[in-house]
Amino acid sequence: MTIHFYLKYDTEFGQDLRLNIIGGASSETTSYGMTTGDGRTWLCDIEMEKIPERIDYFYSLDNSGREERHEWQTITHRLELNATKAKEYTVYNSWTDIPYDSYLYSSAFTDCVNRRHHESLPKSEYDKTLRLIVRAPQLRKGDHLYIAGESSCLGNWHTDRALKMYEHNYNEWVADLDIEAFKEKVAELKFIATTDNGDVLWETGFNRKIEIPELKKGEACVYDMEQAFFEICDTKLAGTLVPVFSLRTKGSFGVGDFGDLKMMIDWVAETKQKVLQVLPINDTTSTHTWTDSYPYSCISIFALHPQYADLRQLPQIADKKKAAEFEALRKELNELKQIDYERVNDAKTDYLRIIFQQEGEQVMKTLDFKQFLKDNEHWLVPYAQYCHLRDTFGNVDFSTWKGHETWHEQDRGALLNPRSKEFNNVAFYYYVQFVLNNQMRGAHEYAMARGVILKGDIPIGVNRNGCDVWHEPQYFNLNSQAGAPPDSFSVNGQNWGFPTYNWQRMIEDGCQWWIRRFQNMSKFFDAYRIDHVLGFFRIWAIPTSCVHGLLGQFAPSLAMTRDEIEGYGLHFQEQLFTTPFIARWVVDRVFGIHAEEVIGKYLHHEHDDIFSLKPEYDTERKIEAAFKGKETADDIWVRDGLYALAADVLFVRDDNDSNKFHPRITAQLNFMYEALMDSDKEKFNRIYNDYYYRRNNNFWYNEAMKKLPVLVQATRMLVCAEDLGMVPDCVAWVMNELRILSLELQQMPKDPSVKFGELWKNPYRSVCTLSTHDMPTLRQWWDEDYNRTQEYYNSQLYRSGAAPHPLPGWLAREIIANQLTCPSMLCILSLQDWFAIDEKLRLEDANAERINIPANPRHYWRYRMHLNIEDLIANKEYNDNIKELIQHTGRE
């Protein structure tokens, strides 16, 4: 069989096009060079001896022998070779870039919201076949596509006799026509959409005209048509954000689990919502204490947290007495208002070990388990070994694991051999992940069946002592810590303690680490939130000697030379500007009555009224160590004052080049800045603003485009991003180019000229919310700042008089209705904010609903729903209230 591919694409000198056929017998992509006579029309002929049922393919552009770009690969071209009499195909394609409506091709829409049954294209028995292919992503659940036209084979414009098309690929429809049935050389036609109830919708625009090709017997011609558009409004959806650990049912074991997740999906569907967003569900177990409750500090980007195992889905414990003891403990833990992380996890681990001893040997003989082990071997084997060594050595400081300071690839064989001691040491961890994988995939399949999008969360960092760093250390920089610069949540910045990524190494192997991570996540979710998407442009890298984030610098970034700084007119005094400025008046102001004590114990007199920190206190980590265990108010006062002195510099030296510098973040709040002359302050401000808001824009754009395109196309999940904070202009450029949904909070507008965001300006491709897991809930925010609330009450709710406090339910409902009415594709509200509309249902104490306080690095993540999901589902009055809100705001 011969296939002729034609593609129109304007090229420049040195550029060549290639045809790339995916899969086949070798399961690898085969690339073919294309030829052209005019630099615009490209063709490629392929001879196939063994004819497959279909081929999937895409085009790419080479420049001087290296790939410069390729087509959008989330949905590739597809050609069925099912015309039984065809010996030759001629295919006319057009180049496909990432479309504006790419979200409609995500599994969130194709597998959940607009889920349709795909029918195979029937075999064509025609002597001469004309195939039409068209994309129609707007079609909804229950819609079908047909072709109506002037020819008899197209029904002579009668919709009830139109030609049926088949959805052979996501949102792509195909139909075969008999060329000999056409009497005219040019046919007019249109695509029409029908619904299950018989309604008909015609595509917009003029009639299409296609030239009927002259074919010989045994030939097939394929036309790749321009997209069909219909007068269908953009889909807007509503959803709920709640951590899995916060779920509560009558049968859960003191913490939310994957079984509870199914019941939460029921409530979401019952209230006409379409999205359920959760926080990360990866394993965070490093110390076996409550400090592991932080869900953004995973020890494995693949492994799921054992606390989420639904014990109800496991076999019963054979020992009746032991089973009764666990049931009594379950009831006790489930009655607690908050999660007792340590008791819950200890109990669940004990339960899982008993079941493993009881059932594990038989489970591991099953084909399902063997396939799971084979499919996940790359990460699962090192993870299981890591867990065994963690518990054997009693810590996660793998630098102290004698003989196991890093993963040894040669250990893999023994760890996979069921007859080895090494296998027996780690088999429990294989089993637990098998159980968790099956339960979470079950919840995902349940959500898809109910038309609910499960949205996950990808943390920007990993635990520096976790399995990922132990297993593949080449991808991490352990000499710095990832965090965030100061913002309204934390004036000292945030130090997450995560290692920064060795992006150069990751890019060298095509970001395989990230691709594996995203593809693993797609087993469980149809949408995801990229936590701190700014980290893909640049990360806030903090020296390991720091506790806070003030002395960090963006990495990578274009640091400044001395000459560049002086080019702004500021005389660069390197020693003065890069060393903590500690004058006597500074000490008096910071320490007050403790000034003499601080001078005597912590400071060294340099000259005149200038001091320096003594060597034993000259970093934040040394200060932290000196005050460990000292918790009096005076101790904290002195400690925090010393932290402030250590960070009181105007410039930070670059980590990679000691002759380059970065303006210190928020340096305008420093004593060093205060001591400058007004003219020097003005010069520094120009340096600062240029550096942080202009200098790196193009550089950071290029950095992000080395990483994000391949990642967002690694799966068909809907991509959303948390783009809050100190956001450079280039972030919007990249997110728009890659069609990533932004995050919009009215209380944190991206327009610096307004205090509150204007909801009607929200872009469609965005997620609107009132609060995140790091923020106060709506009720807390309302009572935080009465003046701010009053301004919001008058300017955004258009109400006169005094704003009522605390927030009444009727007003919370009005605020939520405004959010739901905005243009954003998704409006996802925290469960606590949904509760706010019902004063009979919500907790009396609004502060008990807070999930996290980011300024506290040792926050205990233990919030749980205060009522059972069963009771929530049964609360018809409340659920009808939510359904009415969603229906009236066009999000049903």
Side-chain angles (χ1 to χ4, degrees):
M1 176 180 289
T2 303
I3 309 177
H4 310 283
F5 293 91
Y6 286 84
L7 178 71
K8 287 191 178 295
Y9 189 97
D10 289 320
T11 54
E12 299 175 356
F13 182 78
Q15 293 180 330
D16 295 289
L17 285 176
R18 300 193 68 83
L19 169 71
N20 307 279
I21 295 181
I22 303 169
S26 64
S27 299
E28 295 180 358
T29 299
T30 306
S31 183
Y32 300 88
M34 303 186 76
T35 60
T36 182
D38 57 6
R40 185 170 189 270
T41 302
W42 292 79
L43 57 121
C44 179
D45 294 338
I46 294 179
E47 297 287 342
M48 306 190 81
E49 294 182 6
K50 187 175 181 181
I51 304 173
E53 291 184 3
R54 75 176 196 218
I55 58 173
D56 292 328
Y57 60 97
F58 65 94
Y59 296 100
S60 59
L61 178 70
D62 281 8
N63 194 335
S64 301
R66 298 184 64 181
E67 184 178 294
E68 184 174 302
R69 63 191 300 252
H70 55 70
E71 284 190 291
W72 184 49
Q73 288 183 263
T74 300
I75 305 295
T76 55
H77 300 281
R78 175 165 292 175
L79 176 66
E80 282 88 356
L81 302 174
N82 64 335
T84 57
K85 298 181 180 180
K87 305 297 182 185
E88 192 171 351
Y89 283 81
T90 302
V91 183
Y92 295 93
N93 285 133
S94 55
W95 180 280
T96 304
D97 279 319
I98 181 170
Y100 179 82
D101 53 7
S102 61
Y103 64 92
L104 289 171
Y105 295 84
S106 69
S107 60
F109 280 83
T110 63
D111 297 358
C112 300
V113 179
N114 295 330
R115 192 173 190 176
R116 293 186 292 269
H117 173 66
H118 290 196
E119 295 182 80
S120 299
L121 176 67
K123 290 185 180 298
S124 167
E125 303 292 342
Y126 306 132
D127 289 333
K128 304 174 184 178
T129 301
L130 173 63
R131 178 171 299 168
L132 301 184
I133 300 176
V134 67
R135 289 181 175 176
Q138 292 172 285
L139 299 194
R140 300 149 300 192
K141 186 175 182 178
D143 289 352
H144 304 273
L145 197 67
Y146 290 81
I147 310 173
E150 61 181 351
S151 302
S152 59
C153 63
L154 300 178
N156 291 317
W157 297 112
H158 292 286
T159 58
D160 57 345
R161 299 205 300 270
L163 179 67
K164 179 180 178 178
M165 301 194 77
Y166 297 84
E167 191 174 7
H168 74 148
N169 204 358
Y170 295 108
N171 293 325
E172 186 171 87
W173 299 75
V174 60
D176 284 340
L177 298 89
D178 183 2
I179 282 185
E180 294 181 330
F182 287 91
K183 297 178 181 178
E184 55 281 336
K185 291 187 176 181
V186 177
E188 290 196 29
L189 56 87
K190 270 198 168 186
F191 296 104
I192 61 174
T194 68
T195 64
D196 283 341
N197 60 16
D199 292 337
V200 176
L201 192 63
W202 292 77
E203 69 168 319
T204 60
F206 296 110
N207 292 347
R208 296 176 185 249
K209 294 183 179 181
I210 62 169
E211 182 178 338
I212 306 302
E214 294 184 6
L215 301 181
K216 298 176 183 177
K217 189 174 182 180
E219 290 184 344
C221 182
V222 181
Y223 285 163
D224 193 353
M225 312 282 285
E226 290 187 1
Q227 180 171 321
F229 289 94
F230 296 89
E231 290 184 339
I232 297 176
C233 295
D234 288 333
T235 301
K236 298 198 302 180
L237 307 172
T240 293
L241 162 66
V242 60
V244 175
F245 60 72
S246 297
L247 301 177
R248 181 192 295 269
T249 64
K250 293 177 180 178
S252 49
F253 207 118
V255 67
D257 58 42
F258 292 149
D260 299 336
L261 187 59
K262 282 188 177 181
M263 198 171 295
M264 193 65 187
I265 290 165
D266 285 334
W267 178 75
V268 168
E270 165 65 24
T271 52
K272 304 300 181 183
Q273 299 179 67
K274 287 291 183 183
V275 187
L276 178 55
Q277 179 176 338
V278 299
L279 300 191
I281 56 175
N282 297 96
D283 191 1
T284 59
T285 310
S286 58
T287 67
H288 294 292
T289 68
W290 67 265
T291 58
D292 297 341
S293 67
Y294 180 25
Y296 288 87
S297 183
C298 63
I299 63 167
S300 171
I301 58 172
F302 301 105
L304 302 178
H305 201 306
Q307 72 176 350
Y308 297 127
D310 178 8
L311 305 184
R312 294 162 291 188
Q313 297 183 46
L314 298 176
Q316 294 290 318
I317 293 178
D319 185 330
K320 300 300 182 185
K321 180 181 178 183
K322 182 64 71 174
E325 291 173 357
F326 272 108
E327 176 60 15
L329 178 59
R330 184 197 68 77
K331 290 179 179 179
E332 177 190 345
L333 293 172
N334 214 33
E335 288 298 316
L336 299 177
K337 292 182 178 180
Q338 294 180 304
I339 300 165
D340 187 330
Y341 185 91
E342 293 174 16
R343 291 183 69 200
V344 162
N345 278 275
D346 288 346
K348 281 205 166 186
T349 299
D350 290 345
Y351 193 105
L352 288 166
R353 286 194 177 276
I354 291 171
I355 295 298
F356 175 68
Q357 291 296 325
Q358 184 178 300
E359 313 284 341
E361 185 176 348
Q362 292 304 312
V363 169
M364 288 188 291
K365 291 178 180 178
T366 64
L367 291 177
D368 283 348
F369 176 83
K370 291 177 181 178
Q371 188 63 47
F372 169 76
L373 188 57
K374 179 181 178 182
D375 292 343
N376 298 278
E377 176 195 324
H378 174 79
W379 67 266
L380 181 58
V381 176
Y383 164 78
Q385 175 76 322
Y386 169 91
C387 291
H388 168 65
L389 294 171
R390 172 199 63 199
D391 296 343
T392 299
F393 286 100
N395 65 70
V396 289
D397 183 2
F398 44 76
S399 66
T400 66
W401 295 353
K402 190 173 181 180
H404 296 283
E405 291 84 358
T406 188
W407 160 253
H408 300 309
E409 186 59 34
Q410 62 267 29
D411 293 343
R412 187 179 293 271
L415 292 164
L416 283 170
N417 183 355
R419 293 183 293 275
S420 72
K421 175 185 176 184
E422 289 81 0
F423 181 91
N424 290 329
N425 287 338
V426 301
F428 170 70
Y429 304 105
Y430 294 158
Y431 170 78
V432 171
Q433 288 303 311
F434 175 68
V435 167
L436 292 165
N437 175 82
N438 288 347
Q439 291 188 359
M440 185 58 206
R441 293 187 81 156
H444 179 209
E445 290 165 4
Y446 187 76
M448 290 191 292
R450 297 228 58 183
V452 172
I453 301 167
L454 270 187
K455 182 182 178 187
D457 196 328
I458 294 187
I460 190 60
V462 300
N463 189 313
R464 70 189 304 111
N465 292 314
C467 178
D468 300 303
V469 181
W470 179 71
H471 176 209
E472 299 180 293
Q474 69 273 21
Y475 292 134
F476 304 93
N477 297 317
L478 294 176
N479 59 353
S480 66
Q481 308 166 96
D487 56 22
S488 57
F489 297 132
S490 180
V491 295
N492 290 320
Q494 298 178 44
N495 183 350
W496 304 323
F498 307 140
T500 57
Y501 293 115
N502 181 351
W503 279 113
Q504 185 58 42
R505 179 66 183 83
M506 288 179 162
I507 291 169
E508 285 172 1
D509 71 3
C511 292
Q512 287 302 307
W513 186 85
W514 284 96
I515 289 173
R516 292 195 301 267
R517 182 179 190 180
F518 279 48
Q519 290 177 342
N520 183 74
M521 193 174 184
S522 68
K523 298 187 301 185
F524 311 125
F525 300 100
D526 289 299
Y528 63 92
R529 164 190 177 269
I530 302 177
D531 171 45
H532 195 66
V533 73
L534 297 173
F536 289 90
F537 296 76
R538 78 294 186 274
I539 198 69
W540 190 244
I542 305 164
T544 53
S545 60
C546 291
V547 174
H548 297 309
L550 292 174
L551 293 177
Q553 57 188 254
F554 286 126
S557 62
L558 302 173
M560 307 183 75
T561 65
R562 296 176 180 84
D563 290 343
E564 284 181 297
I565 294 170
E566 296 207 342
Y568 286 83
L570 179 67
H571 176 50
F572 186 65
Q573 304 173 68
E574 181 176 332
Q575 181 65 20
L576 177 63
F577 289 169
T578 61
T579 302
F581 175 71
I582 309 175
R584 177 61 199 239
W585 63 269
V586 172
V587 177
D588 288 340
R589 187 186 299 182
V590 172
F591 297 100
I593 60 174
H594 298 287
E596 292 300 332
E597 173 195 345
V598 167
I599 289 173
K601 187 172 182 179
Y602 302 104
L603 301 182
H604 173 75
H605 182 250
E606 294 290 339
H607 60 83
D608 301 317
D609 68 340
I610 301 300
F611 297 84
S612 64
L613 290 163
K614 290 182 178 179
E616 56 268 39
Y617 307 111
D618 62 359
T619 70
E620 292 178 4
R621 287 294 177 201
K622 291 178 181 179
I623 296 168
E624 178 187 48
F627 283 82
K628 187 175 182 179
K630 299 178 180 179
E631 300 294 339
T632 68
D634 285 348
D635 287 331
I636 293 173
W637 181 359
V638 173
R639 183 200 65 189
D640 290 351
L642 292 173
Y643 283 157
L645 295 187
D648 191 12
V649 298
L650 209 59
F651 288 89
V652 175
R653 200 178 298 274
D654 184 68
D655 285 338
N656 299 312
D657 187 340
S658 60
N659 292 315
K660 292 184 177 180
F661 308 88
H662 307 260
R664 207 218 76 175
I665 193 75
T666 61
Q668 292 87 343
L669 303 178
N670 275 3
F671 298 111
M672 177 71 254
Y673 177 85
E674 184 178 341
L676 294 176
M677 293 187 296
D678 288 345
S679 60
D680 283 343
K681 288 178 181 176
E682 185 273 332
K683 294 167 187 172
F684 178 80
N685 288 340
R686 284 196 295 116
I687 293 171
Y688 187 94
N689 291 330
D690 282 350
Y691 175 82
Y692 281 110
Y693 298 104
R694 287 179 282 275
R695 177 182 179 87
N696 287 285
N697 257 322
N698 289 327
F699 176 69
W700 286 335
Y701 167 84
N702 290 323
E703 287 298 309
M705 291 301 287
K706 293 175 184 176
K707 311 155 192 169
L708 283 173
V710 68
L711 301 185
V712 300
Q713 293 188 56
T715 73
R716 290 198 309 108
M717 292 187 289
L718 180 67
V719 189
C720 312
E722 182 267 297
D723 57 336
L724 305 177
M726 196 172 184
V727 184
D729 292 343
C730 60
V731 173
W733 306 344
V734 171
M735 290 181 61
N736 184 61
E737 190 170 336
L738 300 181
R739 315 297 191 236
I740 299 173
L741 275 64
S742 63
L743 181 61
E744 306 295 328
L745 281 87
Q746 193 175 19
Q747 306 96 305
M748 296 180 65
K750 295 188 170 105
D751 180 355
S753 66
V754 298
K755 189 166 187 178
F756 303 107
E758 298 174 276
L759 291 173
W760 63 273
K761 288 186 177 180
N762 281 10
Y764 172 67
R765 200 164 51 238
S766 68
V767 181
C768 172
T769 191
L770 279 166
S771 63
T772 72
H773 64 274
D774 279 334
M775 297 174 61
T777 63
L778 172 61
R779 292 168 63 201
Q780 286 181 304
W781 179 85
W782 189 261
D783 287 338
E784 268 186 347
D785 184 332
Y786 276 35
N787 292 330
R788 180 186 61 192
T789 299
Q790 187 64 50
E791 186 175 348
Y792 181 85
Y793 185 73
N794 299 141
S795 66
Q796 301 302 310
L797 302 179
Y798 304 105
R799 292 185 172 274
S800 57
H805 290 276
L807 179 67
W810 64 266
L811 190 54
R813 189 182 194 278
E814 181 177 325
I815 293 170
I816 286 175
N818 288 346
Q819 305 292 314
L820 291 168
T821 306
C822 80
S824 298
M825 179 195 303
L826 306 181
C827 182
I828 301 177
L829 306 177
S830 72
L831 183 63
Q832 301 94 308
D833 289 347
W834 279 118
F835 285 160
I837 69 176
D838 191 320
E839 295 181 35
K840 295 180 293 183
L841 184 67
R842 69 192 193 187
L843 275 173
E844 182 177 350
D845 179 12
N847 293 324
E849 296 179 336
R850 184 76 186 258
I851 295 176
N852 179 42
I853 302 174
N856 177 11
R858 289 177 60 81
H859 179 75
Y860 192 170
W861 297 63
R862 60 191 312 197
Y863 166 72
R864 278 195 92 193
M865 297 171 60
H866 62 284
L867 73 166
N868 297 317
I869 300 176
E870 295 95 331
D871 297 330
L872 185 61
I873 292 174
N875 193 329
K876 186 176 185 304
E877 179 183 355
Y878 174 68
N879 293 337
D880 286 346
N881 194 1
I882 292 180
K883 281 191 279 189
E884 183 180 86
L885 273 170
I886 290 171
Q887 289 167 340
H888 286 181
T889 55
R891 292 189 179 270
E892 185 175 2

